[in-house]
């Protein structure tokens, strides 16, 4: 019995940090309507800075001064970020805000390694709280008791702040109605900045408080952000009480999940999240959001099927690509095949994101499932390659059916958070279920059949599947289904009013996108000859987002161009710099702020302005039809 | 008018938002081919009524029957399939598609081809789409991005979309808002003609009393969520309660006004 109580107390202690970070995220969202993906990065920074400060300062005062000082320093960094970056994107589409803050996260990850090195750092333990309290024969660390008390205390302080201070009243008013506060003559800019500073302070404090419990390392940002997303999805975005209750719930589920499903403890959290989503889609304490800004798009240029000149250009490009084996080295062919595979991957996300307006932040889940699908079939059942390639992607399809059903119940930021959490679940299963997946060691020896065993032949196979996939997806875009999907994106109200079942249409799109991602994954497994958990990792999900974004979310062909440019660039980057995440993150931020239409979108603008006559289409005439007279 | 079968029957419709009683105990009916105006000052509950009729909102109490069938609480898409077309007070169209494609999507849905994955939508029943656009007077804009249309033309496009499923009943929430006075009369004439020809029942809300009195066969007056008067245009015009409400808004309809506008 006492064992369970101790387990429960450990859960409560873990909940403290989770609550701090989640409440910060919620407060920022309430006022600015931005889901700050960089929140995990601020948490991590808090831990690193606190590590450094507590190493330098001695004594009890030094330790606690270091913890609070770290949170203040990081909050100051947050203020700078808000003023330099966020102020430029408050009016941008949701997707761009998510991406910009995600780009920031990537940059911080590399910066942290640059400053503190790649190894785990063990922080100082709190002076006077090093010991443990004996609890019916079980030891509970004193520090844990402190954390358990701290959670409700912070909750109470926040409550006082929002109820009893003028600033708090303003923040609550702004949460309800931004324009009204502006009308009252409140300086909105500084209100936003101060709210962001408070949110970041809480995140950093959460990180700083972890150092006596856990090693500090450069992956803790993603670990916490996924947990935080789960917390706000369960508790309800924007509710501090919800954040507290859900943080406790999730921490306890983690603490006891280990006992029930030692290998895949994350399953329990997932099940609870699924139930909450079905019963209360906006979380236990959340309020239904009014439909958010629609479409990732920025302008309205209707899509058209390719003109005959464009078709020629496509075929020409394909012929040139097919001729690569005549010129290129084996290395070039392997790179070429990888790029081709990523074209499928990006095109599948594009279908979901640009056509359906559903920006998935966890699309790699289905890519990864495709790789494992192939690996299972090839290694466990010994099936030939063709069969594996045909059946393997079905694992991606099944995953997309399951997760997609839940994901499409939500939209906007909730959809983004949920898809990310699902991808993390897939990754965790691949990582933890060692008996089946091989865990971190992956599954090796997934070799292609003899008839495509040379780089040239494999390249041709990849190119063939890619061309086919891109054509099929393109046909889909212009098909009745593609238009129905776009209709649900353009106006949920109108589409329901003309008989379209939005949820079912979006679910179908999710499954289609997941299947094509699975196809890409299946090929990828054979290209690499092995599969690893990272095939479903967050980094890969972000890659796919950037490819679509780089090409241009509003265009049909953008994903293809984006994938080619991005993949070539990143392969080149990785071989030339250690700091690929820094460059990549910087690139994302730059695209969002300065170049939001991407390559193909900018190209389209050039065509429309008549500067590229070869691609010119017959522009619709602005005729003067008037009235029914 | 000869006795037409009851198309829409509404009984005791009620909805409140928190403490606000938006609609209270409203009952009325619309016959096939009949044009009924639902009028009342801003906030009277007209849009809320419409939302409950096509399933956008669920009533707290009351029934909605279409040709005798109880459709209360069915989702909008199901109501649409039974032949109820709707236009919105604030237009809802697909801004990234062309004007024609907006109608084509509705035609796709009407033909139950939503999950068709190989045909080309831009070629889908083009003739029918153009006919509908022509009918409402925006045929010349078929290839234009819908986002570029003037507001009045968007209203016309919405009408074309609403007609795509050969509706029995049209629900039009302020169909002429944002239009010039001449254009309003014109659009309602067109709507009335189509309704007469295809025997479609029309329920519309409107602030322009000229439009209302010229086209409505019957008028329902809503105030603060309750129906306070109902009857022919002449009855309603003479109703003292209605006059009292509208006096404040300067919308009283009288003969002088009419002569001025009709000149
Ligand atoms: N979603 C809502 N939440 C709360 N109150 C609402 C909502 N929609 C309408 N109302 C209120 O219900 C009443 C009726 O509104 P509405 O049906 O839009 O009137 P009308 O269309 O006649 O102008 C108004 O008092 C309005 O403020
Ligand atoms: Mg209204």
């Amino acid at each position: 019995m006492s064992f369970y109580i101790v387990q429960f107390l450990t859960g409560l202690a873990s909940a403290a940090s989770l609550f701090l970070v989640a409440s910060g995220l919620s407060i920022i969202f309430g006022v600015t309507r931005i889901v700050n993906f960089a929140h995990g990065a601020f948490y991590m920074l808090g831990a690193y800075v606190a590590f450094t400060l507590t190493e330098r300062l001695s004594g009890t005062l030094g330790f606690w001064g270091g913890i609070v000082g770290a949170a203040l320093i990081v909050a100051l960094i947050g203020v700078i970020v808000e003023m330099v970056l966020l102020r430029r994107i408050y009016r941008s589409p949701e997707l761009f805000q998510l991406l910009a803050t995600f780009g920031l996260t990537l940059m911080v990850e590399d910066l942290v390694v640059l400053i503190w090195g790649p190894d785990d750092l063990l922080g100082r333990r709190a002076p006077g709280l090093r010991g443990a309290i004996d609890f019916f024969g079980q030891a509970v660390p004193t520090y844990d008791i402190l954390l358990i008390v701290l959670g409700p205390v912070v909750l109470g302080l926040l409550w006082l702040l929002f109820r009893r201070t003028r600033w708090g009243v303003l923040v609550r008013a702004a949460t309800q109605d931004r324009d009204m506060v502006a009308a009252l003559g409140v300086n909105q800019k500084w209100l936003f900045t101060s709210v962001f500073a408070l949110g970041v302070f809480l995140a950093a404090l959460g990180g700083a408080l972890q150092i006596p419990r856990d090693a500090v390392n450069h992956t803790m940002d993603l670990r916490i952000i996924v947990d935080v997303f789960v917390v706000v999805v369960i508790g309800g975005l924007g509710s501090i009480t919800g954040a507290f209750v859900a943080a406790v719930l999730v921490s306890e589920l983690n603490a006891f999940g280990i006992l029930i499903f030692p290998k895949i403890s994350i399953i329990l959290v997932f099940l609870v999240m699924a139930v909450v989503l079905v019963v209360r889609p906006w979380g236990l304490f959340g309020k239904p959001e009014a439909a958010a800004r629609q479409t990732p798009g920025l302008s309205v240029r209707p899509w058209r099927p390719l003109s005959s000149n464009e078709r020629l250009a496509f075929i020409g490009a394909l012929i040139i690509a097919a001729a690569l084996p005549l010129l290129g080295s084996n290395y070039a062919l392997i790179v070429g095949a990888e790029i081709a595979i990523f074209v499928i991957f990006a095109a599948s996300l594009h279908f979901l994101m640009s056509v359906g307006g559903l920006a998935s932040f966890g699309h790699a889940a289905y890519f990864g499932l495709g790789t494992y699908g192939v690996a299972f079939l090839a290694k466990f059942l010994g099936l030939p390659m063709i069969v594996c390639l045909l059946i393997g992607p079905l694992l991606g399809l099944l995953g997309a059916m399951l997760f997609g059903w839940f994901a499409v119940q939500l939209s906007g930021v909730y959809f983004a958070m949920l898809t990310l959490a699902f991808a993390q679940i897939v990754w965790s299963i691949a990582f933890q279920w060692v008996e089946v997946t091989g865990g971190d060691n992956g599954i090796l020896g997934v070799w292609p059949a003899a008839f495509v065993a040379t780089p040239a032949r494999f390249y041709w196979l990849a190119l063939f599947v890619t061309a086919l996939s891109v054509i099929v997806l393109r046909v889909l875009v212009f098909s009745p289904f593609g238009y129905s999907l776009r209709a649900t994106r353009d106006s949920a109200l109108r589409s329901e009013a003309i008989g379209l079942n939005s949820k079912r249409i979006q679910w179908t799109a999710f499954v289609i996108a997941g299947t094509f991602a699975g196809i890409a994954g299946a090929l990828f497994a054979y290209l690499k000859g092995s599969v690893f958990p990272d095939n479903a990792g967050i980094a890969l999900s972000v890659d796919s987002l950037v490819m679509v974004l780089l090409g241009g979310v509003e265009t049909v062909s953008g994903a293809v161009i984006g994938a080619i440019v991005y993949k070539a660039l990143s392969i080149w980057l990785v071989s030339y710099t250690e700091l690929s995440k820094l460059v990549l993150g910087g690139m994302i931020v730059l695209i969002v702020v300065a170049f939001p239409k991407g390559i193909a979108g900018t190209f389209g603008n050039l065509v429309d302005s008549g500067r590229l006559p070869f691609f010119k289409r017959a522009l619709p005439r602005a005729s003067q039809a008037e009235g029914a007279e | 008018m000869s006795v037409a079968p009851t198309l829409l029957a509404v009984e005791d419709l009620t909805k409140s938002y928190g403490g606000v009683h938006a609609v209270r105990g409203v009952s009325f009916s619309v016959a096939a081919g009949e044009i009924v105006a639902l009028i009342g000052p801003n906030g009277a509950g007209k849009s809320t009524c419409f939302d409950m009729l096509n399933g956008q909102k669920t009533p707290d109490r009351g029934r909605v029957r279409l040709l005798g069938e109880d459709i209360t609480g069915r989702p909008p898409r199901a109501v649409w399939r039974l032949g109820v077309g709707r236009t919105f007070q604030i237009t809802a169209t697909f801004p990234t598609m062309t004007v024609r494609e907006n109608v084509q999507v509705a035609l796709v849905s009407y033909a139950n081809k939503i999950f068709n994955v190989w045909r080309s939508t831009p070629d889908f029943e083009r003739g029918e789409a153009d006919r509908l656009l022509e009918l409402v007077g925006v045929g010349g804009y078929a290839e234009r991005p819908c986002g570029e249309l003037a507001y009045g033309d968007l209203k016309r496009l919405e009408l074309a979309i609403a007609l795509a499923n050969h509706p029995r009943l049209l629900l039009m929430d302020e169909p002429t808002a944002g239009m010039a006075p001449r254009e309003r009369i014109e659009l309602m004439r067109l709507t009335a003609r189509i309704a007469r020809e295809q025997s479609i029942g029309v329920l519309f809300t409107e602030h322009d009393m000229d439009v209302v009195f010229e086209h409505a066969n019957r008028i329902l007056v809503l105030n603060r969520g309750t129906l306070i008067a109902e009857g022919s245009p002449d009855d309603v015009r003479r109703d003292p309660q209605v006059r009292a409400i509208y006096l404040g808004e300067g919308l009283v309809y009288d003969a002088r006004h009419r002569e001025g506008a009709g000149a």
Side-chain angles (χ1 to χ4, degrees):
Chain A
M1 187 61 210
S2 64
F3 171 76
Y4 292 105
I5 293 174
V6 168
Q7 198 70 11
F8 178 75
L9 292 178
T10 310
L12 276 187
S14 312
S17 278
L18 198 52
F19 162 62
L20 288 178
V21 186
S23 64
L25 190 87
S26 265
I27 292 169
I28 292 174
F29 175 80
V31 175
T32 66
R33 296 283 128 180
I34 285 188
V35 170
N36 179 26
F37 264 48
H39 223 57
F42 289 122
Y43 163 87
M44 176 169 73
L45 273 178
Y48 271 107
V49 175
F51 171 84
T52 302
L53 290 182
T54 52
E55 289 294 297
R56 303 265 189 298
L57 307 169
S58 58
T60 310
L61 203 66
F63 178 85
W64 292 109
I67 298 282
V68 176
L72 286 172
I73 290 172
V74 177
L76 199 67
I77 297 174
V79 167
I80 296 167
V81 165
E82 199 272 346
M83 290 170 65
V84 174
L85 174 63
L86 296 192
R87 280 186 187 179
R88 292 174 203 279
I89 58 170
Y90 280 132
R91 303 209 170 274
S92 302
E94 222 161 48
L95 167 72
F96 288 89
Q97 300 172 340
L98 294 172
L99 273 165
T101 50
F102 214 103
L104 214 56
T105 306
L106 292 176
M107 292 171 76
V108 171
E109 277 186 17
D110 261 0
L111 285 174
V112 158
V113 173
L114 207 61
I115 299 171
W116 283 279
D119 298 327
D120 284 13
L121 303 175
L122 287 175
R124 247 178 85 196
R125 311 190 68 182
L129 300 170
R130 292 201 176 93
I133 292 174
D134 184 75
F135 199 89
F136 299 111
Q138 302 262 350
V140 180
T142 325
Y143 189 74
D144 278 10
I145 305 288
L146 177 91
L147 289 182
I148 291 171
V149 177
L150 193 74
V153 168
V154 171
L155 179 65
L157 286 176
L158 286 176
W159 190 87
L160 284 177
L161 180 66
F162 287 119
R163 301 276 152 173
R164 291 292 144 83
T165 67
R166 188 183 130 71
W167 182 84
V169 171
L170 279 178
V171 168
R172 280 195 299 140
T175 304
Q176 256 137 45
D177 187 349
R178 265 202 272 178
D179 299 329
M180 193 191 74
V181 178
L184 289 177
V186 173
N187 187 332
Q188 250 199 23
K189 271 191 179 169
W190 286 105
L191 188 68
F192 277 36
T193 308
S194 55
V195 164
F196 195 77
L198 174 67
V200 171
F201 174 83
L202 289 169
L205 187 63
L209 286 169
Q210 280 302 90
I211 59 169
R213 300 184 87 213
D214 247 334
V216 181
N217 70 50
H218 60 99
T219 60
M220 59 195 286
D221 57 340
L222 290 184
R223 253 187 298 139
I224 190 88
I225 200 73
V226 169
D227 278 351
V228 165
F229 284 169
V230 171
V231 165
V232 292
V233 165
I234 291 179
L237 198 47
S239 160
I240 297 173
T241 318
F244 183 78
V245 172
V248 171
L249 187 66
V250 168
S251 301
E252 292 302 346
L253 287 171
N254 277 330
F256 287 98
I258 299 225
L259 305 178
I260 303 169
F261 303 108
K263 290 296 170 201
I264 35 180
S265 52
I266 197 149
I267 292 279
L268 200 60
V269 174
F270 168 67
L271 288 177
V272 171
M273 187 165 76
V275 170
V276 170
L277 280 176
V278 173
V279 183
R280 285 188 65 98
W282 282 277
L284 296 174
F285 291 82
K287 290 190 202 75
E289 281 286 319
R293 278 151 296 183
Q294 30 138 314
T295 61
L298 304 160
S299 67
V300 283
R301 177 149 33 84
W303 291 341
R304 299 210 176 75
L306 292 181
S307 67
S308 44
N309 275 348
E310 283 163 324
R311 245 172 237 176
L312 280 180
F314 176 75
I315 293 169
L318 206 58
I319 291 172
I320 292 171
L324 185 67
L326 307 178
L327 319 162
S329 62
N330 277 353
Y331 176 71
L333 291 177
I334 291 167
V335 169
E338 188 165 339
I339 290 176
I341 290 166
F342 275 85
V343 167
I344 306 179
F345 186 35
S348 69
L349 178 64
H350 169 276
F351 184 70
L352 192 60
M353 194 161 124
S354 300
V355 188
L358 300 164
S360 167
F361 274 67
H363 201 49
Y366 315 100
F367 183 91
L369 285 172
T371 61
Y372 277 96
V374 158
F376 292 155
L377 293 171
K379 296 298 283 185
F380 298 158
L381 301 180
L383 294 176
M385 175 181 178
I386 288 292
V387 181
C388 294
L389 274 185
L390 288 174
I391 307 179
L394 293 184
L395 197 58
L397 182 147
L398 289 175
M401 277 178 80
L402 173 67
F403 293 140
W405 190 88
F406 291 102
V408 301
Q409 308 300 319
L410 305 177
S411 59
V413 291
Y414 276 94
F415 182 86
M417 291 189 293
L418 199 60
T419 44
L420 181 72
F422 285 148
Q424 198 57 9
I425 286 166
V426 172
W427 179 87
S428 300
I429 293 174
F431 188 78
Q432 291 181 352
W433 203 7
V434 181
E435 290 82 354
V436 177
T437 63
D440 208 12
N441 296 324
I443 300 173
L444 308 179
V446 185
W447 297 121
F451 74 100
V452 286
T454 69
R457 289 183 172 188
F458 192 85
Y459 170 78
W460 275 322
L461 172 72
L463 192 65
F464 171 73
V465 179
T466 303
L468 204 64
S469 302
V470 168
I471 291 169
V472 168
L473 282 169
R474 217 186 143 94
V475 168
L476 264 172
V477 171
F478 290 98
S479 74
F481 177 71
Y483 268 74
S484 303
L485 180 62
R486 253 168 84 196
T488 67
R489 178 199 76 179
D490 271 12
S491 168
L493 190 63
R494 172 48 72 196
S495 19
E496 286 284 328
I498 57 166
L500 303 180
N501 185 341
S502 318
K503 296 268 176 280
R504 235 178 78 201
I505 291 170
Q506 290 172 341
W507 186 44
T508 310
F510 200 101
V511 173
I512 291 172
T515 308
F516 276 95
I519 292 172
L523 280 172
F524 191 72
Y526 278 112
L527 175 74
K528 296 286 171 185
S530 51
V531 306
F532 295 103
D534 279 351
N535 292 348
I538 290 177
L540 208 59
S541 293
V542 176
D543 280 356
S544 60
L545 277 168
V546 178
M547 287 186 263
V548 173
L549 189 69
L550 186 64
V553 257
E554 299 183 308
T555 61
V556 197
S557 44
V560 176
I561 296 160
I564 295 171
V565 172
Y566 173 79
K567 202 62 206 170
L569 203 67
S570 73
I571 290 173
W572 179 78
L573 261 181
V574 168
S575 56
Y576 277 89
T577 167
E578 295 281 287
L579 302 172
S580 55
K581 281 191 216 158
L582 186 65
V583 179
L584 178 58
M587 205 164 88
I588 298 176
V589 173
L590 196 72
I591 295 173
V592 169
V593 174
F595 197 44
K597 279 173 184 290
I599 299 172
T602 308
F603 177 80
N605 285 354
L606 288 177
V607 173
D608 281 0
S609 67
R611 264 177 271 177
L612 298 168
F614 177 79
F615 293 98
K616 196 160 168 53
R617 307 154 201 261
L619 280 179
R621 269 175 301 118
S623 51
Q624 289 290 356
E626 209 24 81
E629 287 134 327
Chain B
M1 182 182 259
S2 59
V3 183
T6 304
L7 178 62
L8 176 76
V10 176
E11 271 166 44
D12 195 26
L13 212 55
T14 300
K15 175 99 189 166
S16 49
Y17 300 106
V20 184
H21 296 285
V23 175
R24 265 189 288 190
V26 168
S27 305
F28 63 87
S29 66
V30 177
E34 191 185 20
I35 299 182
V36 179
L38 181 64
I39 65 169
N42 268 326
K46 304 181 296 291
S47 296
T48 306
C49 264
F50 271 52
D51 284 349
M52 288 188 283
L53 295 183
N54 86 318
Q56 216 85 47
K57 289 184 178 135
T58 324
D60 298 339
R61 208 174 66 215
R63 296 279 130 211
V64 180
R65 288 196 176 81
L66 190 74
L67 286 171
E69 190 178 349
D70 191 342
I71 60 165
T72 323
R74 297 216 193 148
R77 55 172 189 274
V79 176
W80 181 83
R81 297 225 171 263
L82 295 171
V84 179
R86 159 135 204 214
T87 68
F88 293 95
Q89 180 169 351
I90 298 165
T91 56
T93 52
F94 307 124
T96 70
M97 298 180 194
T98 66
V99 172
R100 182 191 292 124
E101 286 164 353
N102 266 268
V103 179
Q104 282 171 315
V105 174
L107 291 170
V108 160
S109 176
Y110 181 57
N112 269 318
K113 293 276 187 286
I114 298 166
F115 290 93
N116 179 303
V117 290
W118 65 88
R119 289 177 69 163
S120 156
T121 313
D123 298 329
F124 189 88
E125 291 192 22
R126 220 181 155 112
E128 173 67 1
D130 285 345
R131 187 187 69 78
L132 287 165
L133 291 176
E134 224 35 83
L135 183 65
V136 301
V138 290
Y141 298 136
E143 309 259 314
R144 295 281 285 271
C146 148
E148 284 179 5
L149 285 192
Y151 196 67
D153 290 329
L154 277 179
K155 290 270 181 190
R156 289 167 184 270
L157 171 59
E158 270 209 318
L159 179 58
I161 294 173
L163 288 171
N165 67 332
H166 302 286
R168 305 173 213 273
L169 175 66
L170 273 181
L171 303 173
M172 304 176 78
D173 200 355
E174 306 209 3
T176 70
M179 287 182 162
R182 239 193 77 204
E183 233 193 330
R184 297 178 177 202
I185 300 270
E186 210 172 80
L187 182 74
M188 274 322 286
R189 275 194 193 137
L190 172 70
T191 309
R193 204 190 74 217
I194 296 170
R196 225 178 311 113
E197 283 170 7
Q198 306 182 18
S199 186
I200 301 174
V202 178
L203 181 68
F204 74 109
T205 71
E206 181 58 62
H207 280 297
D208 186 331
M209 290 304 124
D210 289 324
V211 173
V212 171
F213 285 115
E214 183 176 336
H215 291 290
N217 304 131
R218 205 148 49 82
I219 299 175
L220 310 165
V221 187
L222 203 60
N223 189 35
R224 300 194 195 173
T226 24
L227 220 47
I228 57 159
E230 173 178 359
S232 71
D234 282 334
D235 295 342
V236 168
R237 200 177 304 164
R238 278 192 294 269
D239 190 300
Q241 237 186 321
V242 177
R243 295 186 77 96
I245 290 167
Y246 274 89
L247 214 52
E249 296 215 343
L251 285 170
V252 159
Y253 179 91
D254 61 19
R256 245 177 309 134
H257 186 152
R258 187 184 196 186
E259 278 157 25

